[in-house]
Amino acid sequence: MSTKGIINKRDFLKKAGLTTAGAVGATTLAAPYVKAQAPIRWRLQTYAGASLAEHVIKPSIDAFNKAANGEMVIDLYTADQLVPQGELFRAVQQGTIDAAQSDDDSMASPVDVSIFGAYFPFASRYGLDVPVLWEWYGLKEIWEEAYAEVPGVTWLSAGAWDPCNFVTTKPIRSLEDLRGLRVFTFPTGGRFLERFGVVPVTLPWEDIEVAIQTGELDGVAWCGATETYTVGWADINQYYLTNNINGAWAGSYFVNSERWEELPEHLKTIYKLCIDSSHYYRQHWYWWGEAHYRTTGGKLELTTIPEDEWKQVEDEAMKFWDEVAAGGGRNAKVVEILKKYQETMRGAGAPYRYS
């Protein structure tokens, strides 16, 4: 019998070993990432202090680090920990940090639409209004367009936080009680509240509690009941005004553009999914907390400005909107969308709007 073309076991193993080694070498050279490499490492700073960050972002970052399976790790830093809040945008742009969670307004984003970040007065009534406006009324595309004009930073996603109520050491039962009130608040919200005699104060997050205790501040117009109790402000204030100037804070996720483009697509996808999980968590956490703490918190006396008097604030907000829109461009477009949205919600009636 001819043995031509027959290979013995030893030759087969030798050839298979060479082939396998070559294939592994080729794969190693071609792969953008292998487990043996050091993981990609990002530094992300949130606007929130440590106790608040436990809810508004930490669960999603913990999930990302687990899902990334050793390929990437995000180190989370809280308010002002690496850079002051007002320098957060610039820090992302320069690559000092890799990513941020914040509103456009307080991080000094150099885009025209930053005025609508955080609490643009009466832009929303409920937390669900924010994702609807961005995903179904065109704000997402407007934000993408605005940030495309700014080098170095990529805007990724916007979501809702809590409403904006006054939490103070002094009772507020009329508009007159707002006069001279020194509160920690956001830039645009503060500018609007100045029309009623409020004195907006900007301080680092960690200084707020002491400033209230020493009388430097009369309170905050920063959040709703959920945050008030979570961060301890309910322990050093006495009153909670049930009227709010906005139904939900609008915040976003930002990344350094170069760092973002360096990521493989599967890590980008995981990161976006974790952002969505954070948005979802906040929707139900805040909605639960606002009612829970108002009714069972027990630390704050609830006060209310009569509806007919509070209407003066709502009417003034519409004047504020028109002033912002008068500048034209994207801001006029956003105001037009907000007005259309309000009209639609009122037309739809309950449960979208009750009045």
Side-chain angles (χ1 to χ4, degrees), residues 60-72:
S60 64
I61 297 303
D62 289 345
F64 177 87
N65 288 338
K66 185 180 292 185
N69 198 31
E71 294 184 44
M72 182 172 171

Side-chain angles (χ1 to χ4, degrees), residues 60-142:
S60 64
I61 297 303
D62 289 345
F64 177 87
N65 288 338
K66 185 180 292 185
N69 198 31
E71 294 184 44
M72 182 172 171
V73 175
I74 296 177
D75 298 316
L76 178 62
Y77 296 87
T78 55
D80 304 305
Q81 202 171 356
L82 296 179
V83 298
Q85 173 65 18
E87 299 174 16
L88 193 53
F89 183 91
R90 196 67 63 197
V92 175
Q93 189 176 45
Q94 294 173 345
T96 306
I97 58 177
D98 305 292
Q101 178 204 46
S102 178
D103 65 283
D104 324 60
D105 197 27
S106 67
M107 72 186 287
S109 292
V111 293
D112 47 5
V113 294
S114 66
I115 192 171
F116 300 102
Y119 293 122
F120 189 70
F122 296 98
S124 64
R125 181 167 292 193
Y126 307 119
L128 202 53
D129 290 339
V130 172
V132 170
L133 282 163
W134 259 264
E135 297 296 331
W136 296 99
Y137 277 74
L139 294 195
K140 177 182 177 181
E141 289 74 20
I142 291 173

Side-chain angles (χ1 to χ4, degrees), residues 265-283:
E265 286 302 316
H266 69 287
L267 289 178
K268 287 182 179 179
T269 299
I270 294 172
Y271 188 63
K272 287 179 177 179
L273 288 171
C274 287
I275 288 173
D276 285 343
S277 77
S278 177
H279 290 334
Y280 172 66
Y281 180 94
R282 282 181 276 100
Q283 284 282 348

Side-chain angles (χ1 to χ4, degrees), residues 23-318:
V24 170
T27 303
T28 303
L29 290 171
Y33 177 87
V34 292
K35 200 77 178 265
Q37 290 177 301
I40 299 166
R41 199 149 205 132
W42 272 13
R43 300 196 301 177
L44 185 156
Q45 183 171 307
T46 175
Y47 77 97
S51 56
L52 183 58
E54 287 289 327
H55 288 279
V56 300
I57 190 168
K58 190 174 183 296
S60 64
I61 297 303
D62 289 345
F64 177 87
N65 288 338
K66 185 180 292 185
N69 198 31
E71 294 184 44
M72 182 172 171
V73 175
I74 296 177
D75 298 316
L76 178 62
Y77 296 87
T78 55
D80 304 305
Q81 202 171 356
L82 296 179
V83 298
Q85 173 65 18
E87 299 174 16
L88 193 53
F89 183 91
R90 196 67 63 197
V92 175
Q93 189 176 45
Q94 294 173 345
T96 306
I97 58 177
D98 305 292
Q101 178 204 46
S102 178
D103 65 283
D104 324 60
D105 197 27
S106 67
M107 72 186 287
S109 292
V111 293
D112 47 5
V113 294
S114 66
I115 192 171
F116 300 102
Y119 293 122
F120 189 70
F122 296 98
S124 64
R125 181 167 292 193
Y126 307 119
L128 202 53
D129 290 339
V130 172
V132 170
L133 282 163
W134 259 264
E135 297 296 331
W136 296 99
Y137 277 74
L139 294 195
K140 177 182 177 181
E141 289 74 20
I142 291 173
W143 257 246
E144 288 173 339
E145 178 187 275
Y147 281 96
E149 296 173 1
V150 180
V153 175
T154 299
W155 173 89
L156 291 179
S157 180
W161 272 251
D162 53 342
C164 184
N165 294 75
F166 283 88
V167 185
T168 56
T169 58
K170 301 175 181 179
I172 303 171
R173 295 187 174 93
S174 70
L175 291 184
E176 186 59 33
D177 292 333
L178 295 177
R179 296 200 173 277
L181 209 63
R182 296 162 299 172
V183 297
F184 172 62
T185 189
F186 292 88
T188 298
R191 205 164 84 234
F192 172 68
L193 290 171
E194 282 180 320
R195 298 178 179 218
F196 302 93
V198 172
V199 180
V201 179
T202 301
L203 289 171
W205 171 277
E206 65 269 18
D207 294 345
I208 304 307
E209 186 170 341
V210 173
I212 293 172
Q213 291 173 316
T214 60
E216 182 184 351
L217 286 177
D218 297 311
V220 299
W222 162 277
C223 58
T226 310
E227 286 191 15
T228 297
Y229 278 85
T230 299
V231 306
W233 289 340
D235 299 324
I236 55 173
N237 287 285
Q238 286 79 49
Y239 302 96
Y240 182 95
L241 182 65
T242 59
N243 312 79
N244 58 53
I245 68 162
N246 203 311
W249 188 82
S252 293
Y253 284 77
F254 305 86
V255 292
N256 176 276
S257 299
E258 189 176 339
R259 296 289 85 76
W260 182 245
E261 291 309 316
E262 288 172 354
L263 288 189
E265 286 302 316
H266 69 287
L267 289 178
K268 287 182 179 179
T269 299
I270 294 172
Y271 188 63
K272 287 179 177 179
L273 288 171
C274 287
I275 288 173
D276 285 343
S277 77
S278 177
H279 290 334
Y280 172 66
Y281 180 94
R282 282 181 276 100
Q283 284 282 348
H284 60 75
W285 181 60
Y286 280 117
W287 190 250
W288 161 79
E290 295 308 303
H292 172 78
Y293 287 115
R294 284 196 196 192
T295 57
T296 66
K299 295 180 179 179
L300 298 169
E301 179 183 336
L302 304 184
T303 64
T304 302
I305 295 175
E307 189 175 330
D308 58 343
E309 190 176 356
W310 187 249
K311 190 176 184 304
Q312 297 176 45
V313 183
E314 296 177 347
D315 291 344
E316 192 64 32
M318 295 306 101

